[in-house]
Coordinates of all heavy atoms in Angstrom, one line a residue:
P1 N -26.7 9.7 -5.7 CA -25.9 9.3 -7.0 C -25.0 8.3 -6.8 O -24.6 7.9 -5.8 CB -25.3 10.8 -7.2 CG -25.1 11.3 -5.8 CD -26.3 10.9 -5.1
P2 N -24.5 7.7 -8.0 CA -23.6 6.6 -7.8 C -22.3 7.1 -7.2 O -21.9 8.3 -7.4 CB -23.3 6.2 -9.3 CG -24.6 6.6 -10.0 CD -25.1 7.9 -9.3
H3 N -21.7 6.3 -6.4 CA -20.5 6.6 -5.6 C -19.5 5.5 -5.7 O -19.9 4.4 -5.5 CB -20.8 6.9 -4.2 CG -19.8 7.7 -3.5 ND1 -18.6 7.0 -3.0 CD2 -19.6 9.0 -3.1 CE1 -17.8 7.9 -2.4 NE2 -18.4 9.0 -2.4
P4 N -18.2 5.7 -5.9 CA -17.3 4.6 -6.0 C -17.1 3.9 -4.7 O -16.6 2.7 -4.7 CB -16.0 5.3 -6.4 CG -16.1 6.8 -6.0 CD -17.5 7.0 -6.2
F5 N -17.3 4.4 -3.5 CA -17.3 3.8 -2.3 C -18.5 3.0 -1.8 O -18.5 2.0 -1.2 CB -16.9 4.7 -1.2 CG -15.4 5.0 -1.1 CD1 -14.8 6.0 -1.9 CD2 -14.6 4.3 -0.2 CE1 -13.5 6.2 -1.8 CE2 -13.3 4.6 -0.1 CZ -12.6 5.6 -0.8
Y6 N -19.7 3.5 -2.2 CA -20.9 2.9 -1.8 C -21.9 2.8 -3.0 O -22.0 3.6 -3.9 CB -21.6 3.8 -0.8 CG -20.5 4.1 0.3 CD1 -20.1 5.5 0.5 CD2 -20.2 3.2 1.3 CE1 -19.2 5.9 1.5 CE2 -19.3 3.5 2.3 CZ -18.8 4.9 2.3 OH -17.9 5.2 3.3
M7 N -22.6 1.7 -2.9 CA -23.6 1.4 -3.9 C -24.8 2.4 -3.7 O -25.1 2.7 -2.5 CB -24.2 -0.1 -3.8 CG -23.1 -1.1 -4.1 SD -22.5 -0.9 -5.8 CE -23.8 -1.6 -6.7
P8 N -25.4 2.9 -4.7 CA -26.5 3.9 -4.5 C -27.7 3.2 -3.9 O -27.9 2.0 -4.1 CB -26.9 4.3 -6.0 CG -26.4 3.2 -6.8 CD -25.1 2.7 -6.1
L9 N -28.3 4.0 -3.0 CA -29.5 3.5 -2.2 C -30.8 3.8 -2.9 O -31.0 5.0 -3.0 CB -29.4 3.9 -0.8 CG -30.6 3.6 0.1 CD1 -30.5 2.0 0.3 CD2 -30.5 4.3 1.5
E109 N -13.9 12.2 0.3 CA -13.7 13.5 -0.4 C -13.0 14.4 0.6 O -12.1 15.2 0.2 CB -15.0 14.2 -0.8 CG -15.7 13.5 -2.0 CD -16.5 12.3 -1.7 OE1 -16.6 12.0 -0.4 OE2 -17.1 11.8 -2.4
S114 N -10.4 9.8 -4.0 CA -11.5 9.7 -4.9 C -12.1 8.3 -5.0 O -13.3 8.1 -5.4 CB -11.0 10.3 -6.3 OG -10.0 9.5 -6.8
R115 N -11.3 7.3 -4.8 CA -11.7 6.0 -5.1 C -11.1 5.1 -4.0 O -10.1 5.4 -3.4 CB -11.3 5.5 -6.5 CG -12.1 6.1 -7.6 CD -11.6 5.5 -8.9 NE -11.8 4.1 -9.0 CZ -13.0 3.5 -9.3 NH1 -14.1 4.3 -9.5 NH2 -13.1 2.2 -9.2

Side-chain angles (χ1 to χ4, degrees):
H3 193 286
F5 275 83
Y6 309 108
M7 297 297 288
L9 177 64
E109 291 84 356
S114 59
R115 292 182 56 82

